[in-house]
Each structure stands twice: as structure tokens, then as C-alpha cells.
Amino acid sequence: MTVNHFDPKQTTTMNAPQKAIDEQAQLVADASTQLTDKPKGNRIGFVSLGCPKNLVDSERILTQLRIEGYDVVNTFEGADLVIVNTCGFIDSAVQESLDTIGEALAENGKVLVTGCLGAKEDEIREVHPSVLGITGPHAYEMVLEQVHELLPKPQHNPLESLIPDHGVKLTPRHYAYLKISEGCNNRCTFCIIPALRGDLDSRPIGDVLDEAKRLVNAGVKELLVISQDTSAYGVDTKHRTGFWNGMPVKTRMTELCHELAKLGAWVRLHYVYPYPHVDEIIPLMAQGKILPYLDIPFQHASPKVLKAMKRPGKAERTLEQIKKWREMCPDLVIRSTFIVGFPGETEEDFQLLLDWLEEAQIDRIGAFKYSPVDGAVANDLAELTPDDVMEDRYQRFMEVAARISSERLQARVGTEMRVIVDEINDEGAVARGYADAPEVDGKVILGGEFDLEVGQMVWASIEFANDYDLFGTVVRDENGAIEELG
């Protein structure tokens, strides 16, 4: 099955066709007719925008639609209805969502909107008043109710179209996102996620582990654990004890990792806040039970800026944590994101951030220029940083980030590492090692290696590195055979 799915790592914003705007008046006039004159088909086009957490929401909606017998198509024109799962985190994501809704209206005319931007219905209807229905994030049942109203459930024999136990996936067969909670209890001043998705709501640990087992049984070799705040998993339930496989398991990140490690897949942790109990996870990484990889959004290093952001932790204490983690697990790779140009950020604050980066030696670094998202408290804390100053700081930041990345990757030249193949193209195989999450990190390029398969795990000899990627060849035995790994 294919869906009309836009790459969440894209940084460009699609331009909505001008006719999408020109035809709004006619679409408004047609909207009431569309609601009463329901389409007779069951073909649904689907667009998923935004982060991996949104992708998981899309997978859940699509799974239920397929269970009920709806047909998901990869075109606007051939669909009886289009669903757009939106992102609303920063201004560019909001614009991309609005543009995509406009494109769907122009090409099809019958559109439902869900996702984070759906929490701002007035904002959507101001631009696109003709959408047929709007729901917020993780509103699966409401989306299905709207679909049922517009496209009655088709006559469907489930025995003729079986859905696999793991449901519909929008990722390649060999990796999957495992969402362990919704919402967030933090109140970072630059973020509106709690307003969009609510407070922390942890999934029962038995349900999470059941899903993980189904995915692994279906051929998934890498589980990417995601949430808004992975370290806080179970805080809302006071770390209630659940059950899995007949055994008690506490609803907590540490216990979750212990159990996931038993499934035999790579386990990669994303969106981990640097709380003290993260120390408990590092031994599992050192023992090879889960990947020695931590995605921690530090955001800044200036004490003044961190305080204004309402971010947990202090920069100096974080440096001590990083040093301790690397002593416990020398192979540890840390990915992080930072914001430059936060309101009130001075040149001194920015220099503190650059100095901190030099000392912390973060392996994978991303940055965002501050975006004054509507509703963010930070917008009113101080004067916004001028665009030219923000751009200058962003470029200087990325220069430092690229140099650090290049230096750390050069240290891998001459080593062998286990990699998983993501793609075979005209030049060979594109793979990833434990240091690389899909979409956001670098790659291991295996030029000239064509006798591999997507999802295959092999050993690679690293021969060259640039700022962000590694280049190498597959390790073979004396007969030229490739050793199979999982």
C-alpha cells in the first residue's frame, strides 16, 4: 500500500497552487452540498506531515481505515476524500500544512484536517473555510467518525483483506517508531506542544511492549522510541506496575528499556531529557543491550537563556553528566538540537553556547532559528532577535557543529561497524550505523555494493569521512561472502 507521504526532514515549504486560493469562494459554496451529497466510494488519500510522533498517529488512523475496508490511494485526484495530518510546531511547519491543505482542496475539494494544527481550527478556517472537518492531534476516533459521516463504511469481508498484526506502517519494513506517551508536562516557553497535545499521558507498559513484539515479529530490526519527553514516561501514573508476559513491569523508562532489550532488535532512544535517572540507561548501552545513542534536546547552554526557556538542568551539570556517561560507555553517541536567536539572547549568551559545544563535543548537532510561534510565551519575554543577527549566529553555529561532527567521524575511519541497509541506488547501498537515526543523522555510504538488500545488517569497513557521512565497503570472508547479521 502507498500513501501520499511527505518527507518529515524536508526544510522547504511547498507552494500551494494559486488556484487553491482563487477557488476558495467556490469551495465555500460547494461545502454544504458536499456534506449532504456524500460520495459513494471508499477511496481515501492521506498526507502525513511533521515529526515521527505524527507519523505514528497517521499509522493508527490508516490501520483502522484499512480494517474497516477503506482503500488508501496515493493521489488526490482519484480519492473520494483526503485526510491531511498536519504539523503546527513552528511557523514553517504551519505554512507547509496550510499549503498542503490548499493543494488538497484544489486537486480534490473534499478534505478533512487533523493533527497539531487542527487544535487551531480558527486559523485553518480563516485560510481554508471549506474543509469538511477539523480535529486535533491523536483524535483517532473523531477522525473515523468524520470519515463515516462522509463515506459510510464499505461492505467489507475482513477475511479478504487481512491487516497484519503490526498494522499499517509508513516506514520501511526494517524500522518503526514506537510511541510510548502523548503530551508533555514541561512548559518550555518556546513550545506550544502542551497546548496542542495536552499533558503527559503514558501508554500502559504492557501495550507498548505488545506493540514492540508484534513489530519485531513482523521483521522490524530497529525500534525508535519516541514521545515528547521519553525520560518522563510513567510519571503521570506514578510509575504504576503493569504486566507483560505474566510478569510485573514498572511503567518507567529504565524498566521499559530492560524489556525492549530482550526482543533482539536495535533500540534507539529519542527525546530524552537529561534527568538524573538517565544514568540508569547507560549501563544497558555499555552492555550492548540497547544502542549507545541518546537524542537529548539541550536547546542552549547560557544559564540566562535556559532559565528564560524554562528548561530543566544546568549547562555545567550537563557537561558533568556527559563526561560521566562517556566514561561508563565510551561508544556513546549524543544527538541534540539547539535554538539560536532566542528572545533576549545576547552575543555573550551565544558565545557561551559555542564554548559549551566545544567542550561537550556533541556528535550529531541540529539547530533552529527561533520561530515566534503564535501562543509561545517566549515571544513576550524580550525583543525578538533581528533576522540578520539570527542568520549570522545560525551560520556560525553550524560551522562549529560541522567541524565537531567531522572530527568525531574521522575517528571512525579505519574501524569496522555494524550497519543496516536503508536503500540501494545507482551508486550502491546507503546504510546507517548505531550512531545514525533515520532522516535526521548521517549515513554510511557503501559505494559499489549492489548485492545487498534493504533491511540487511552487515559489517562495514570505514575508509573515509566527510562532515556528516561515512564511506566504506562491506566486510567479506576470504571467499567473498557476506556475513549475515540478524
Side-chain angles (χ1 to χ4, degrees):
M1 183 197 71
T2 57
V3 297
N4 196 12
H5 170 228
F6 293 92
D7 188 341
K9 74 176 180 179
Q10 288 178 335
T11 56
T12 57
T13 299
M14 295 181 298
N15 292 319
Q18 182 61 41
K19 63 180 180 180
I21 299 173
D22 297 339
E23 294 175 358
Q24 285 299 306
Q26 183 60 45
L27 289 170
V28 173
D30 291 344
S32 60
T33 303
Q34 293 168 356
L35 285 169
T36 55
D37 184 18
K38 297 176 182 176
K40 299 298 190 295
N42 66 342
R43 295 160 60 83
I44 296 178
F46 201 103
V47 181
S48 184
L49 301 171
C51 66
K53 294 177 283 294
N54 228 31
L55 193 69
V56 173
D57 291 347
S58 295
E59 290 174 339
R60 291 180 179 175
I61 295 170
L62 287 170
T63 296
Q64 189 59 39
L65 289 171
R66 288 296 306 275
I67 288 173
E68 294 181 358
Y70 292 96
D71 185 20
V72 179
V73 298
N74 62 353
T75 174
F76 290 143
E77 184 178 356
D80 299 294
L81 181 69
V82 174
I83 301 174
V84 181
N85 192 4
T86 60
C87 179
F89 183 52
I90 58 177
D91 287 347
S92 60
V94 170
Q95 188 60 53
E96 181 179 32
S97 294
L98 291 172
D99 288 349
T100 304
I101 295 168
E103 184 178 3
L105 285 168
E107 297 294 328
N108 184 280
K110 300 175 288 291
V111 179
L112 294 177
V113 175
T114 189
C116 286
L117 188 59
K120 298 181 177 181
E121 181 170 355
D122 292 346
E123 186 172 338
I124 295 172
R125 291 207 178 276
E126 182 178 352
V127 181
H128 301 301
S130 62
V131 294
L132 302 182
I134 299 175
T135 55
H138 54 86
Y140 319 119
E141 293 182 0
M142 293 179 65
V143 173
L144 291 166
E145 288 174 2
Q146 291 180 346
V147 171
H148 296 157
E149 180 182 351
L150 295 165
L151 296 180
K153 288 185 183 181
Q155 292 184 346
H156 174 57
N157 182 351
L159 297 179
E160 295 178 355
S161 180
L162 296 177
I163 302 299
D165 287 343
H166 61 273
V168 174
K169 286 176 70 264
L170 299 181
T171 52
R173 184 173 182 268
H174 59 283
Y175 69 82
Y177 294 102
L178 182 67
K179 184 157 66 170
I180 63 175
S181 64
E182 298 284 0
C184 184
N185 286 344
N186 297 304
R187 294 296 182 265
C188 303
T189 57
F190 57 82
C191 180
I192 59 172
I193 290 297
L196 298 177
R197 290 184 170 263
D199 289 336
L200 178 67
D201 183 10
S202 300
R203 295 178 61 196
I205 193 164
D207 291 355
V208 173
L209 292 171
D210 279 341
E211 180 181 347
K213 185 175 182 180
R214 288 194 301 270
L215 289 167
V216 172
N217 287 344
V220 168
K221 297 181 179 180
E222 179 180 8
L223 295 168
L224 299 108
V225 179
I226 58 172
S227 64
Q228 298 298 335
D229 181 358
T230 297
S231 304
Y233 178 60
V235 167
D236 54 315
T237 68
K238 298 182 179 179
H239 301 300
R240 177 190 303 133
T241 297
F243 289 87
W244 189 60
N245 283 349
M247 299 294 292
V249 185
K250 187 177 291 187
T251 307
R252 207 166 71 105
M253 182 176 70
T254 304
E255 284 74 9
L256 175 65
C257 289
H258 273 283
E259 297 304 321
L260 290 175
K262 299 175 183 177
L263 298 179
W266 277 5
V267 176
R268 189 183 300 276
L269 300 180
H270 286 277
Y271 315 118
V272 177
Y273 278 60
Y275 298 145
H277 70 274
V278 173
D279 292 357
E280 301 172 9
I281 304 298
I282 307 302
L284 296 179
M285 297 180 175
Q287 296 162 20
K289 293 183 177 180
I290 64 175
L291 293 181
Y293 176 101
L294 277 178
D295 174 8
I296 304 180
F298 291 119
Q299 305 296 12
H300 215 281
S302 161
K304 185 191 77 177
V305 174
L306 286 171
K307 182 177 180 180
M309 289 179 167
K310 290 192 175 178
R311 293 291 293 174
K314 297 182 181 297
E316 291 183 3
R317 186 186 307 161
T318 301
L319 286 174
E320 294 173 2
Q321 276 186 297
I322 292 173
K323 181 180 178 181
K324 178 181 178 181
W325 293 339
R326 285 179 170 152
E327 289 173 351
M328 297 168 64
C329 182
D331 291 332
L332 178 65
V333 164
I334 300 175
R335 128 165 284 278
S336 189
T337 52
F338 298 84
I339 295 174
V340 298
F342 187 82
E345 179 192 68
T346 63
E347 179 61 26
E348 181 182 1
D349 293 323
F350 179 70
Q351 190 59 51
L352 279 173
L353 173 57
L354 296 184
D355 293 343
W356 188 90
L357 278 181
E358 297 281 8
E359 188 167 354
Q361 290 289 294
I362 302 299
D363 301 84
R364 297 299 196 186
I365 307 173
F368 297 94
K369 290 179 282 188
Y370 178 76
S371 177
V373 180
D374 185 30
V377 174
N379 297 339
D380 301 321
L381 293 179
E383 290 292 326
L384 296 180
T385 304
D387 289 343
D388 58 337
V389 174
M390 196 172 341
E391 178 64 24
D392 175 70
R393 290 177 184 171
Y394 175 79
Q395 294 299 331
R396 289 159 58 196
F397 180 97
M398 293 309 299
E399 287 175 8
V400 173
R403 177 172 50 76
I404 292 173
S405 174
S406 178
E407 291 170 355
R408 296 191 70 81
L409 288 180
Q410 288 297 330
R412 297 185 181 276
V413 174
T415 67
E416 294 182 357
M417 62 190 306
R418 191 182 189 188
V419 300
I420 188 167
V421 178
D422 280 341
E423 178 188 355
I424 307 295
N425 59 30
D426 293 340
E427 298 180 357
V430 179
R432 289 179 294 107
Y434 80 87
D436 309 304
E439 308 289 352
V440 294
D441 291 330
K443 299 177 176 62
V444 181
I445 311 299
L446 305 175
E449 302 284 3
F450 296 102
D451 56 344
L452 302 176
E453 297 180 358
V454 171
Q456 186 175 0
M457 283 186 165
V458 297
W459 283 98
S461 175
I462 306 303
E463 300 170 347
F464 174 75
N466 61 18
D467 286 351
Y468 298 107
D469 298 319
L470 297 172
F471 299 79
T473 56
V474 174
V475 176
R476 302 170 187 267
D477 64 21
E478 58 185 13
N479 298 316
I482 301 172
E483 180 184 358
E484 289 292 330
L485 298 174

